[in-house]
């Protein structure tokens, strides 16, 4: 196969990069874009395999992102998706490097943060585009010999042909131009002395680019006073490393709870049945997302909110002395819950003591909590049940906390009622049950639920009119056609 060389780099008049394209990365970032978005990297950022890359002096966070690069083979302007792949000459491995220390200086454009010399190594070999199925490629990244990214192109948010066609709507993609197609989860930070390798291959392993090798060096020339200078904070560290834990940061109460629940999304989730949500999650392979075995104080209420979490560990007398008193984890969780959030407590299904009583439940209500969910007991049941704020619980129990539990930590991944709950998950709860919805799929999920309930309303009406369910539930082609007519008629009405 042809190797990437200086002529390859010289032919690239522009480099276009996609922000988010892999579902794993979207889940990590907590957002799934409806359409692709892009940024430009200068062609001077291109470099060959084996070339060292400098972490600029004074910078801490040189992030690497293994990616698949498309090399344009013939000019593309206003091409359709069906024709777009014919404009791609080859695919190769790339590394979309950037310094998070300078993101603040040019938000959105990434000119300084990702445009440095050598910040886009590509190669070493070019795989001919006509020799591969673009939906059956594998991308792997190694950091100092350890595999840190391993994903495929089978379920990309935006397939490669769509990217080429979309970009060509407004700009001419010229021969030699390079498109970076996004990175999966696992991207992190490299330090001087580290070696990052990226490889693209076909799923059967028959064709490979070989490993693109980049060694990180420490820069020695400081930034001048007349330009933006590097600066970082814990948010940039978290995003660069992929998580607070990976960055070596202590858990933060609201770190994982982001603005994922817009008023529009909340209203949509409130409008559909939990049964519909459950069936749509099951279609996506999510079968273990219900918190089971609990009862609610307000079965008339439907709750939709972001999860905050609290974990109790089994009581040990010496640990209760150090962690049970004062402003303990239980009180910290109650006193930091925010408007519209749902406090989910892991009590291991232990029914032999209370996990919340009337005073703390009232405090949560005053702070605006949407609900409390615990798979343990509730003290002062009559008072808790009398609050406006719903509480889901295993059973009433009069005992105080220290009988079976030590309140241990907050805003971590917990288990409640047989389900795993992370801070920032979307909780939907009503008389039919409690569901845990990953925020990355919520928009798509609820839109499919709305469509499903429209279809079921039609089926219900047809059954009411005396029609058999045979072929109607689920609908065959004939009934699908009738449904389309019914839907159009209702829309016009």
């Amino acid at each position: 196969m042809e190797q990437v060389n200086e002529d390859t780099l010289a032919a690239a008049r522009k480099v276009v990069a996609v922000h988010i394209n892999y579902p794993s990365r979207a889940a990590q970032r907590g957002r799934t874009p409806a359409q692709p978005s892009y940024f430009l990297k200068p062609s001077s950022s291109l470099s060959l395999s084996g070339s060292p890359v400098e972490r600029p002096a004074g910078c801490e966070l040189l992030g690497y992102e293994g990616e698949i690069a498309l090399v344009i083979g013939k000019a593309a302007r206003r091409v359709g998706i069906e024709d777009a792949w014919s404009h791609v000459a080859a695919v190769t491995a790339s590394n979309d490097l950037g310094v998070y220390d300078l993101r603040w200086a040019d938000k959105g454009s990434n000119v300084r943060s990702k445009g440095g010399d050598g910040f886009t190594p590509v190669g070493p070999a070019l795989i001919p585009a006509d020799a591969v199925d673009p939906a059956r490629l594998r991308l792997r990244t190694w950091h100092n010999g350890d595999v840190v990214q391993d994903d495929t192109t089978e379920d990309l948010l935006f397939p490669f042909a769509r990217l080429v066609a979309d970009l060509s709507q407004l700009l001419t993609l010229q021969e030699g131009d390079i498109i970076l197609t996004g990175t999966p989860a696992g991207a992190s930070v490299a330090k001087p002395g580290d070696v990052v390798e990226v490889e693209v291959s076909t799923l059967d392993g028959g064709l490979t680019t070989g490993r693109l090798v980049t060694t990180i060096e420490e820069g020695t020339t400081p930034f001048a006073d007349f330009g933006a200078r590097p600066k970082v904070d814990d948010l940039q560290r978290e995003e660069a490393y992929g998580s607070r834990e990976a960055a070596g940061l202590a858990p933060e109460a609201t770190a994982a709870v982001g603005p994922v629940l817009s008023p529009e999304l909340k209203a949509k989730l409130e409008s559909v049945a939990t049964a519909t949500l459950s069936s749509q999650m099951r279609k996506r392979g999510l079968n273990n997302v219900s918190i089971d075995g609990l009862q609610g104080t307000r079965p008339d209420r439907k709750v939709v909110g972001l999860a905050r979490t609290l974990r109790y560990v089994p009581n040990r007398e010496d640990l209760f002395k150090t962690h049970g008193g004062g402003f303990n984890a239980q009180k910290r969780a109650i006193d930091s819950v925010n408007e519209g959030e749902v406090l989910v407590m892991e009590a291991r299904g232990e029914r032999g003591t209370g996990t919340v009583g009337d005073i703390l439940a009232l405090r949560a209500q005053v702070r605006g909590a949407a609900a409390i969910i615990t798979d343990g007991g509730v003290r002062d049941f009559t008072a808790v049940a009398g609050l406006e704020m719903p509480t889901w619980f295993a059973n009433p129990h009069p005992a105080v906390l220290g009988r079976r539990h030590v309140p241990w930590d907050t805003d971590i991944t917990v288990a409640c009622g047989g389900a795993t709950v992370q801070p920032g998950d979307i909780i939907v709860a009503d008389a039919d049950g409690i569901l845990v919805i990953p925020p990355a799929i919520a928009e798509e999920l609820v839109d499919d639920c709305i469509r499903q309930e429209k279809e079921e309303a039609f089926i219900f009406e047809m059954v009411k009119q005396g029609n058999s369910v045979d072929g109607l539930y689920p609908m065959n082609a004939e009934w699908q056609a009738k449904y389309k007519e019914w839907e159009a008629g209702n829309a016009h009405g």
Side-chain angles (χ1 to χ4, degrees):
M1 283 187 297
E2 184 181 348
Q3 299 293 297
V4 174
N5 54 35
E6 293 289 354
D7 290 339
T8 311
L9 305 190
R13 298 176 64 177
K14 55 184 170 291
V15 180
V16 187
V18 180
H19 280 110
I20 293 179
N21 198 14
Y22 285 79
S24 62
R25 180 71 160 180
Q28 185 181 48
R29 291 296 200 199
R31 61 182 185 275
T32 301
Q35 300 293 341
S37 62
Y38 313 93
F39 60 94
L40 288 168
K41 299 190 76 170
S43 57
S44 56
S45 71
L46 292 167
S47 61
L48 298 172
S49 181
S51 304
V53 169
E54 180 183 289
R55 185 182 74 176
C59 290
E60 173 189 334
L61 303 174
L62 177 65
Y64 61 82
E65 298 176 2
E67 305 206 11
I68 297 173
L70 311 182
V71 181
I72 298 299
K74 62 179 179 179
R77 176 69 167 124
R78 295 196 178 108
V79 301
I81 292 177
E82 66 284 349
D83 182 48
W85 188 246
S86 69
H87 292 261
V88 179
V91 299
T92 191
S94 64
N95 191 341
D96 181 16
L97 292 157
V99 280
Y100 282 73
D101 313 60
L102 291 171
R103 287 176 89 192
W104 70 274
D106 54 1
K107 278 188 176 294
S109 74
N110 289 329
V111 171
R112 301 194 71 200
S113 59
K114 291 206 170 207
D117 288 353
F119 275 21
T120 316
V122 292
L126 295 164
I127 302 176
D130 59 8
V132 301
D133 178 349
R136 292 188 58 77
L137 294 173
R138 183 184 187 187
L139 170 66
R140 284 180 291 177
T141 304
W142 292 261
H143 184 187
N144 293 333
D146 296 326
V147 177
V148 291
Q149 293 181 293
D150 189 350
D151 213 331
T152 76
T153 58
E154 292 179 298
D155 59 351
L156 292 176
L157 299 176
F158 312 112
F160 294 160
R162 178 173 170 181
L163 298 177
V164 173
D166 184 36
L167 286 166
S168 77
Q169 293 184 87
L170 286 172
L171 54 90
T172 299
L173 294 171
Q174 297 158 313
E175 182 179 354
D177 285 351
I178 291 174
I179 302 173
L180 306 185
T181 58
T183 194
S188 189
V189 172
K191 298 178 180 179
D194 288 358
V195 177
V196 181
E197 301 167 279
V198 185
E199 180 183 19
V200 175
S201 61
T202 53
L203 284 184
D204 62 8
L207 295 172
T208 176
T209 61
R211 293 195 188 185
L212 169 69
V213 181
T214 304
T215 302
I216 311 304
E217 296 181 346
E218 181 70 273
T220 57
T221 305
F223 284 88
D225 292 336
F226 50 74
R229 305 185 74 164
K231 64 179 181 181
V232 296
D233 54 25
D234 284 352
L235 175 60
Q236 295 304 321
R237 292 185 180 96
E238 179 182 351
E239 294 210 345
Y241 282 93
S243 69
R244 292 183 66 81
E245 182 180 11
L249 301 172
E252 184 176 280
T254 58
V257 181
V260 295
L261 188 56
S262 66
E264 295 78 16
L265 176 57
K266 184 172 184 288
K268 284 182 180 180
L269 288 166
E270 289 171 339
S271 73
V272 296
T274 50
T276 311
L277 288 165
S278 179
S279 67
Q280 284 294 333
M281 282 198 283
R282 186 174 177 82
K283 288 181 181 179
R284 290 162 171 79
L286 293 168
N287 298 307
N288 298 294
V289 287
S290 62
I291 297 177
D292 298 332
L294 307 184
Q295 54 187 309
T297 60
R298 299 300 301 267
D300 57 315
R301 294 290 180 86
K302 182 159 192 172
V303 167
V304 177
L306 295 180
R308 297 286 297 278
T309 61
L310 167 65
R311 180 167 68 113
Y312 296 105
V313 298
N315 187 33
R316 208 177 87 184
E317 288 75 8
D318 60 325
L319 295 178
F320 192 83
K321 287 179 181 177
T322 58
H323 290 76
F327 196 54
N328 60 31
Q330 180 199 42
K331 292 176 181 175
R332 292 197 303 273
I334 293 288
D335 222 49
S336 66
V337 68
N338 296 311
E339 183 81 28
E341 293 177 341
V342 178
L343 180 57
V344 181
M345 300 180 177
E346 175 185 331
R348 310 178 312 285
E350 172 56 63
R351 295 168 173 261
T353 191
T355 54
V356 67
D358 58 349
I359 292 175
L360 292 184
L362 176 61
R363 176 60 177 159
Q365 176 176 288
V366 169
R367 287 195 55 83
I372 291 175
I373 297 173
T374 173
D375 62 356
V378 165
R379 291 184 66 213
D380 312 308
F381 173 73
T382 302
V384 172
L387 295 176
E388 286 294 312
M389 179 194 68
T391 296
W392 276 265
F393 61 100
N395 58 279
H397 200 283
V400 296
L401 187 65
R403 182 169 187 251
R404 298 284 173 85
H405 300 301
V406 180
W408 197 251
D409 44 14
T410 63
D411 289 300
I412 58 163
T413 301
V414 300
C416 182
T420 298
V421 182
Q422 295 191 297
D425 282 343
I426 297 174
I427 304 296
V428 179
D430 62 14
D432 286 335
I434 307 167
L435 296 176
V436 183
I437 299 175
I441 69 167
E443 287 280 4
E444 172 195 326
L445 179 80
V446 75
D447 286 343
D448 285 350
C449 287
I450 290 170
R451 282 191 288 272
Q452 178 181 329
E453 291 194 348
K454 276 187 181 178
E455 292 179 357
E456 290 176 351
F458 167 74
I459 293 169
F460 185 86
E461 182 63 29
M462 294 304 102
V463 171
K464 188 177 178 181
Q465 292 177 16
N467 291 284
S468 169
V469 295
D470 184 24
L472 172 60
Y473 186 52
M475 289 187 283
N476 57 23
E478 181 183 351
W479 276 112
Q480 285 282 359
K482 291 179 180 179
Y483 167 69
K484 293 294 182 186
E485 295 176 8
W486 176 87
E487 185 182 31
N490 283 349
H492 294 144

